[in-house]
Amino acid sequence: MAKTADTPLSRIAGTGLPDPSRWKALAFIALAQLMVVLDATIVNIALPSAQTDLGISEGNKQWVITAYALAFGGLLLFGGRIADLWGRKRTFVVGLIGFALASALGGAAQNEAMMFGSRALQGVFGALLAPAALSLLAVMFTDAKERAKAFGIYGAIAGGGGAVGLILGGFLTEYLNWRWTFFVNIPFAVVAAVGAYFVIREPSGTRNRAPLDIPGVVLSTLGLVALVYGFTRAESAGWSDGLTITMFIAAAGLLLAFVVVESRVKSPLLPLRVLTERNRGGVYLSLGLAIIAMFGLFLFLTYYLQIVKGYSPVRTGFAFLPMIAGMITGSTQIGTRLMTRVPPRLLMGPGFLVAAIGMLLLTQLDLNTSYAAVILPGMLLLGLGMGSAFMPAMSLATHGIEPRDAGVASAMVNTSQQVGGAIGTALLNTIAAGATTAYIADNAAGATDPKLLELQAMVSGFASAIWWAVGILVLASAIAVVLINTGRPGTGAAGGTGGASGGNAEGAEDEFRIPVVAH
């Protein structure tokens, strides 16, 4: 196997020039990503109404969320490998069509079985769609400045889309009905699929046609399903629950076996080279930690604003707008403008620290906290920090990757986010619940108003959990600074495979060249 010089993907296609339709393609890729991210939170707003209409029991309601999380989280690596094998454009379009059909089934659900089945199908097709979308960006945008702009847009959507989902979910549930939180995906998917079919031109020579690693697929899927379900169950049944512990033990065993298999098979599902390059490893780890903190905050602020402050679903959604504005600004202005001028760690490390400062403000929550004085600035700082960090993180996820591994490397970003979300919801909710119980035990004797005590205890629990989120963001910042050592594009700094070769005249593009392997 001979290795050629690093070659821009535009030249892989044999044109010598970037794909002229790449910016149009970005619009449809971004639309699809927005749909997937929206779906992660939009259903949360609709869940109480859907539960009542479909007669879903209190014990089973979690499966509306869990069925999606298990399918999506468990199949992401498989989806990324399918994208490398089938072709990213084909996988992207199939994922969109399948997601639209699954959404139509969910909107038309007549009982809990139909609802749970539709959510699982959404997860399956989402696991095809998400890694295909990110890997398409990786192979279509190779110039450093253009790549920064493209990933700035993508990062803003990935970070802020969840909050947009809260707004849209509130509108649809309050003014139409919960079924529209599913039906709204259909026009998104149709427009993105048609646009992608006619506009996207995937560079040639970037597929990985090696045979599918079936043992790796089975072990990774079962291991990730066990891990996600373990955290999901811990939230409702507790960390000492027998099945929770069993799931964690099974996940550890299955994922360890997966690593052993991947180190020995000829064509692994997840080549270990994808994980062991320090910059990508730093991105996966720091991003996963940041998502833990962010997902927990979404949950707490939604409950705080609706239950303590008495906000309607729509007003609650609008209350998250400053965070969205901060993320868009951080990603498309700060991140995009600085990414070609400073090393990525100097965006990610400070970005996570700024987010931690915003989170620190939110530890001051009490029953009478002013939205304008505390929550608004906290959300703005959180959004600015996360947006600035997400943008280089999304780009570095495929840092120096070989084209044949772009899909599975992209899937690892989504996997770290999905597992981080499951951990964040379970871990921080458990911490909050424990602090709430302790507050009631300490203050019950002198309480004159049980309802007031309950609200005070809830807010105290939220504040305690947010303190943990602050610490997690500081840890994410430290990991980003220590592990990510690639220089700014065009410097020729060390930092991973496919980095720049000093002295090349093409400068800014050089950092993001992708090595081509000839068989």
Side-chain angles (χ1 to χ4, degrees), residues 59-155:
N60 285 340
K61 72 174 182 180
Q62 65 164 331
W63 283 101
V64 176
I65 307 299
T66 304
Y68 178 86
L70 292 182
F72 187 69
L75 292 170
L76 272 167
L77 285 177
F78 177 61
R81 178 66 182 87
I82 288 295
D84 289 334
L85 180 65
W86 280 3
R88 294 161 194 97
K89 174 180 174 178
R90 181 185 301 173
T91 306
F92 183 71
V93 172
V94 168
L96 282 166
I97 294 170
F99 201 92
L101 293 173
S103 298
L105 182 64
Q110 299 301 309
N111 52 54
E112 63 179 32
M114 280 184 71
M115 172 60 73
F116 300 156
S118 71
R119 291 291 285 162
L121 282 174
Q122 280 186 314
V124 170
F125 288 106
L128 288 175
L129 176 58
L134 184 55
S135 58
L136 276 170
L137 289 189
V139 300
M140 293 181 76
F141 289 89
T142 54
D143 175 78
K145 290 183 179 179
E146 290 193 348
R147 184 181 177 96
K149 291 177 183 176
F151 278 91
I153 294 168
Y154 188 90

Side-chain angles (χ1 to χ4, degrees), residues 215-229:
V217 169
V218 173
L219 289 170
S220 67
T221 300
L222 292 178
L224 288 170
V225 165
L227 183 64
V228 172
Y229 184 60

Side-chain angles (χ1 to χ4, degrees), residues 1-309:
M1 183 170 71
K3 190 174 181 179
T4 71
D6 284 356
T7 306
L9 279 173
S10 57
R11 293 182 184 175
I12 294 172
T15 65
L17 295 170
D19 183 349
S21 64
R22 62 195 180 282
W23 291 108
K24 293 179 183 177
L26 173 62
F28 298 114
I29 293 169
L31 184 64
Q33 174 65 11
L34 178 61
M35 180 187 71
V36 173
V37 176
L38 284 175
D39 195 73
T41 52
I42 197 171
V43 175
N44 290 347
I45 297 288
L47 181 55
S49 301
Q51 181 184 357
T52 301
D53 279 3
L54 301 181
I56 300 174
S57 69
E58 194 65 23
N60 285 340
K61 72 174 182 180
Q62 65 164 331
W63 283 101
V64 176
I65 307 299
T66 304
Y68 178 86
L70 292 182
F72 187 69
L75 292 170
L76 272 167
L77 285 177
F78 177 61
R81 178 66 182 87
I82 288 295
D84 289 334
L85 180 65
W86 280 3
R88 294 161 194 97
K89 174 180 174 178
R90 181 185 301 173
T91 306
F92 183 71
V93 172
V94 168
L96 282 166
I97 294 170
F99 201 92
L101 293 173
S103 298
L105 182 64
Q110 299 301 309
N111 52 54
E112 63 179 32
M114 280 184 71
M115 172 60 73
F116 300 156
S118 71
R119 291 291 285 162
L121 282 174
Q122 280 186 314
V124 170
F125 288 106
L128 288 175
L129 176 58
L134 184 55
S135 58
L136 276 170
L137 289 189
V139 300
M140 293 181 76
F141 289 89
T142 54
D143 175 78
K145 290 183 179 179
E146 290 193 348
R147 184 181 177 96
K149 291 177 183 176
F151 278 91
I153 294 168
Y154 188 90
I157 290 171
V164 176
L166 295 172
I167 298 174
L168 189 57
F171 260 110
L172 294 173
T173 303
E174 197 164 321
Y175 296 116
L176 293 173
N177 63 53
W178 65 267
R179 296 184 185 277
W180 283 96
T181 61
F182 287 89
F183 291 145
V184 74
N185 290 328
I186 298 172
F188 277 98
V190 170
V191 172
V194 172
Y197 181 81
F198 287 106
V199 170
I200 291 177
R201 301 287 182 268
E202 186 177 351
S204 61
T206 61
R207 289 194 194 179
N208 182 350
R209 300 181 185 276
L212 195 60
D213 169 23
I214 300 300
V217 169
V218 173
L219 289 170
S220 67
T221 300
L222 292 178
L224 288 170
V225 165
L227 183 64
V228 172
Y229 184 60
F231 280 109
T232 303
R233 184 171 176 83
E235 183 185 359
S236 58
W239 296 91
S240 60
D241 174 72
L243 185 55
T244 301
I245 295 171
T246 300
M247 286 295 104
F248 285 135
I249 293 172
L254 288 164
L255 293 175
L256 179 61
F258 172 68
V259 172
V260 172
V261 167
E262 298 307 276
S263 67
R264 296 183 179 181
V265 298
K266 184 178 179 181
S267 303
L269 173 69
L270 175 62
L272 297 184
R273 61 181 175 268
V274 172
L275 295 177
T276 54
E277 199 277 312
R278 65 182 292 167
N279 292 286
R280 288 194 296 273
V283 166
Y284 300 147
L285 187 55
S286 62
L287 192 60
L289 286 168
I291 292 294
I292 289 175
M294 199 165 105
F295 265 61
L297 183 73
F298 275 168
L299 179 71
F300 299 143
L301 278 183
T302 300
Y303 273 95
Y304 175 80
L305 292 171
Q306 291 195 28
I307 295 176
V308 178
K309 291 294 192 181

